[in-house]
Amino acid sequence: SQQGEEDPQALSIQEGENATMNCSYKTSINNLQWYRQNSGRGLVHLILIRSNEREKHSGRLRVTLDTSKKSSSLLITASRAADTASYFCATDGRTYKYIFGTGTRLKVLA
Amino acid sequence: GAGVSQSPSNKVTEKGKDVELRCDPISGHTALYWYRQRLGQGLEFLIYFQGNSAPDKSGLPSDRFSAERTGESVSTLTIQRTQQEDSAVYLCASSSSRLDTQYFGPGTRLTVL
């Protein structure tokens, strides 16, 4: 089964609102990564958070990691239409084999 | 230099034909991954190369799929006797080590008629 599962599957918000996506996983990890995918093509790396970190920021992005609950969240603040994309989390399960979830499809309405 | 590149960007083939997909990783990246993504789905791990070590082929769905990589350079993914269920986007990624960020290519969209 998938190592990472994103929630919700789809999210629709107004421009300027915040968007929160969650990721749950099943086994211990070294790190967790969040990616964005536009139009079903290549993935763009957003943030990598290591298992000994609890929170990281990058611009309008904030990622949290709770290893006791085996979950992570991605918050996009002040969303823009250009943030419309699918967002995936990927976990390494303490191996080199990253497992990706099925993604959250975010739609930001102008 | 530039990021990960893949070719072709699109490939349409007939059922039963063989196809070869190419990935050029970022120079110096020792790790290379192939994934398959069906429409509306997440990424399925196919194969992992790390330097000159034996590749992890555990994700290949059948013996019709094979991949090669020479050293730390180009990789090719070959699908023999293609089937309609092979239709998907095939993504390649490279990283400087297994614990670091994976950089993805734009993918090859394969359509088997």
Side-chain angles (χ1 to χ4, degrees):
Chain A
S1 58
Q2 300 271 6
Q3 168 77 325
E5 296 288 344
E6 290 90 347
D7 169 61
Q9 291 187 336
L11 180 61
S12 186
I13 60 174
Q14 295 291 326
E15 202 166 31
E17 293 181 337
N18 296 341
T20 300
M21 289 158 267
N22 302 297
C23 169
S24 60
Y25 57 92
K26 295 183 175 140
T27 64
S28 297
I29 61 172
N30 288 313
N31 60 56
L32 181 148
Q33 305 192 49
W34 283 92
Y35 289 84
R36 184 185 72 220
Q37 185 179 41
N38 293 86
S39 305
R41 299 308 290 260
L43 277 71
V44 174
H45 180 259
L46 298 177
I47 288 184
L48 180 153
I49 186 165
R50 303 201 185 276
S51 59
N52 61 352
E53 297 175 310
R54 292 297 167 256
E55 187 171 313
K56 285 190 84 168
H57 296 255
S58 176
R60 294 182 296 111
L61 307 180
R62 172 177 167 250
V63 167
T64 62
L65 178 64
D66 187 335
T67 52
S68 66
K69 294 181 180 178
K70 293 186 169 58
S71 68
S72 173
S73 67
L74 169 67
L75 169 67
I76 304 173
T77 60
S79 63
R80 305 167 181 167
D83 295 328
T84 294
S86 290
Y87 292 82
F88 294 88
C89 69
T91 50
D92 67 349
R94 294 205 170 175
T95 74
Y96 48 75
K97 196 182 301 183
Y98 277 90
I99 303 296
F100 287 75
T102 52
T104 292
R105 294 185 305 280
L106 173 66
K107 188 168 186 177
V108 182
L109 304 170
Chain B
V4 178
S5 62
Q6 292 185 245
S7 61
S9 57
N10 288 284
K11 176 72 177 177
V12 180
T13 190
E14 293 179 347
K15 178 181 172 181
K17 301 280 189 183
D18 297 352
V19 296
E20 191 172 277
L21 313 179
R22 177 186 170 107
C23 172
D24 280 273
I26 292 172
S27 177
H29 279 191
T30 59
L32 187 147
Y33 301 76
W34 281 98
Y35 297 91
R36 178 172 70 180
Q37 186 179 30
R38 291 197 167 106
L39 187 63
Q41 302 296 312
L43 278 67
E44 299 173 63
F45 167 82
L46 296 178
I47 189 168
Y48 165 75
F49 294 91
Q50 173 61 57
N52 293 316
S53 302
D56 177 351
K57 305 179 182 181
S58 61
L60 295 179
S62 77
D63 58 8
R64 296 186 296 104
F65 288 72
S66 62
E68 293 183 350
R69 186 185 188 195
T70 304
E72 296 179 1
S73 61
V74 170
S75 175
T76 55
L77 176 69
T78 301
I79 308 173
Q80 295 178 308
R81 305 181 302 282
T82 52
Q83 303 294 314
Q84 288 184 330
E85 63 261 27
D86 299 334
S87 295
V89 175
Y90 290 82
L91 292 159
C92 172
S94 71
S95 67
S96 56
S97 79
R98 70 174 182 86
L99 291 179
D100 286 329
T101 299
Q102 292 183 40
Y103 294 89
F104 281 80
T108 293
R109 186 180 300 279
L110 174 66
T111 303
V112 182
L113 302 176

